[in-house]
Amino acid sequence: MTDREYMQRALTLAQRGCGWVAPNPLVAGKGVQILKEQGVEVIEGILQEECDAINRIFFHYIQTGLPFVTMKYAMTLDGKIAAHTGASKWITGETARRYVQGERHKHTGIMVGAGTVLADDPMLDCRLERGKNPVRIICDSHLRTPLTARVVTTAKEISTIIATCEKEEKAQLPYLESGCCVLTVGKKEGRVDLRELMEKLGQKKIDSILLEGGGTLNWSALESGIVNRIQAYIAPKLFGGAEAKTPIEGRGVIFPSEAVKLTGSRIISLGEDILIESEVEGNVYGNR
């Protein structure tokens, strides 16, 4: 967004009596000042909390330069994201799945790990009529993504980024030839350094990411402190199974007092399913 566009947005919101205050230091307060100079009475801070919630992604990105990350997963009432066989289609109903497509439309990027690509060969597109496809981001530390995967074969049609620790140009070349953008990032515990990745994606103007990873990537994202919001879609079903996968795996916390804390939860009814949406408490990279 250019400074001119930003200014116009601030003016429009101010003219509507909005409590939104521009966080961009280049223009903060200028819209209000212009209105006052034109003889318009301006009362600031009206419903500011509500306005901040509407503009959460924009505020986060303009203040930090980092994408706002929403971790999304669907699970059964006993906390399973798949049966013990690995089968996962479908946990939630059509209403919830359509809502997810709307979230894909809203977010600039969508991110999964190589394990999800290997297991499900997802398209990661937006299937709404006239919906906007998000940029597809694959965290693939060692370039395991098959060249036959749909995210690779359609990379010239839908923007696709492969984030990897593999520096060899020869290994990267087939993905580049397929139309993928390859981002080389450093390692953290043998995997893609997610903090560094967020910084590089922010530089590419990706202001928001819908994280649809598996349990391993989800834990890494939480541990790295990059997650801002959780969306848990819960279906009234029970899978059972000690080995059945759960939304967040990894090593987890040692003590309950170390839990990632959530706040501002709200519940949305989606057909027979429910969505619980919560904000992750703490500052950027402050969770761990």
Side-chain angles (χ1 to χ4, degrees):
M1 180 179 291
T2 66
D3 288 346
R4 182 182 179 84
E5 291 170 333
Y6 194 101
M7 180 67 76
Q8 184 59 51
R9 182 175 184 179
L11 284 168
T12 300
L13 289 169
Q15 288 167 339
R16 292 175 180 171
C18 183
W20 183 78
V21 178
N24 189 337
L26 296 175
V27 298
K30 292 182 181 178
V32 171
Q33 185 59 37
I34 290 171
L35 289 172
K36 287 181 177 179
E37 289 172 356
Q38 297 300 314
V40 178
E41 181 183 2
V42 180
I43 301 173
E44 300 181 52
I46 298 173
L47 298 176
Q48 183 168 339
E49 215 173 288
E50 290 82 351
C51 293
D52 287 351
I54 293 171
N55 292 282
R56 187 86 69 202
I57 288 174
F58 178 67
F59 285 177
H60 176 83
Y61 180 69
I62 206 69
Q63 291 172 330
T64 67
L66 301 170
F68 184 96
V69 178
T70 300
M71 177 189 293
K72 166 264 170 184
Y73 53 82
M75 68 179 188
T76 60
L77 203 55
D78 58 341
K80 308 298 184 181
I81 61 173
H84 71 90
T85 59
S88 60
K89 288 185 172 54
W90 293 100
I91 291 176
T92 54
E94 180 60 35
T95 302
R97 296 201 298 273
R98 184 171 179 80
Y99 190 92
V100 170
Q101 294 302 315
E103 291 299 299
R104 289 186 178 186
H105 172 76
K106 292 177 186 177
H107 287 74
T108 304
I110 183 171
M111 188 166 79
V112 300
T116 295
V117 176
L118 287 166
D120 301 332
D121 192 20
M123 189 67 173
L124 301 178
D125 58 345
C126 177
R127 293 186 284 277
L128 294 179
E129 187 177 356
R130 293 187 294 277
K132 173 180 64 68
N133 287 322
V135 177
R136 302 177 299 193
I137 304 155
I138 315 301
C139 291
D140 187 356
S141 303
H142 308 294
L143 290 182
R144 298 185 297 144
T145 299
L147 294 173
T148 55
R150 293 197 292 171
V151 291
V152 176
T153 59
T154 60
K156 292 180 180 177
E157 303 162 24
I158 304 174
S159 295
T160 303
I161 295 172
I162 307 288
T164 184
C165 305
E166 177 58 66
K167 298 180 180 178
E168 289 290 333
E169 292 182 6
K170 184 178 180 180
Q172 294 183 5
L173 186 59
Y175 298 96
L176 293 169
E177 291 177 338
S178 296
C180 298
C181 169
V182 178
L183 275 184
T184 305
V185 296
K187 288 183 182 180
K188 184 176 181 182
E189 298 182 359
R191 296 190 178 93
V192 165
D193 186 329
L194 294 176
R195 292 191 182 189
E196 182 183 338
L197 176 58
M198 291 304 107
E199 290 165 5
K200 290 191 173 184
L201 293 174
Q203 291 165 9
K204 287 183 170 292
K205 309 299 182 186
I206 294 177
D207 65 356
S208 56
I209 294 172
L210 188 62
L211 174 58
E212 294 195 15
T216 300
L217 180 58
N218 284 348
W219 169 252
S220 295
L222 285 171
E223 191 174 38
S224 297
I226 67 167
V227 181
N228 304 104
R229 176 181 291 159
I230 305 293
Q231 289 184 335
Y233 295 80
I234 304 173
K237 301 174 182 177
L238 302 171
F239 280 0
E243 303 302 319
K245 290 186 175 296
T246 57
I248 301 168
E249 297 177 352
R251 61 189 173 194
V253 301
I254 298 175
F255 302 107
S257 60
E258 298 176 347
V260 176
K261 294 179 175 60
L262 307 178
T263 186
S265 298
R266 64 173 185 146
I267 299 175
I268 301 172
S269 179
L270 299 168
E272 63 179 7
D273 308 309
I274 63 169
L275 164 63
I276 300 180
E277 184 175 81
S278 305
E279 303 292 318
V280 177
E281 195 175 89
N283 297 324
V284 178
Y285 296 164
N287 303 318
R288 282 286 176 273

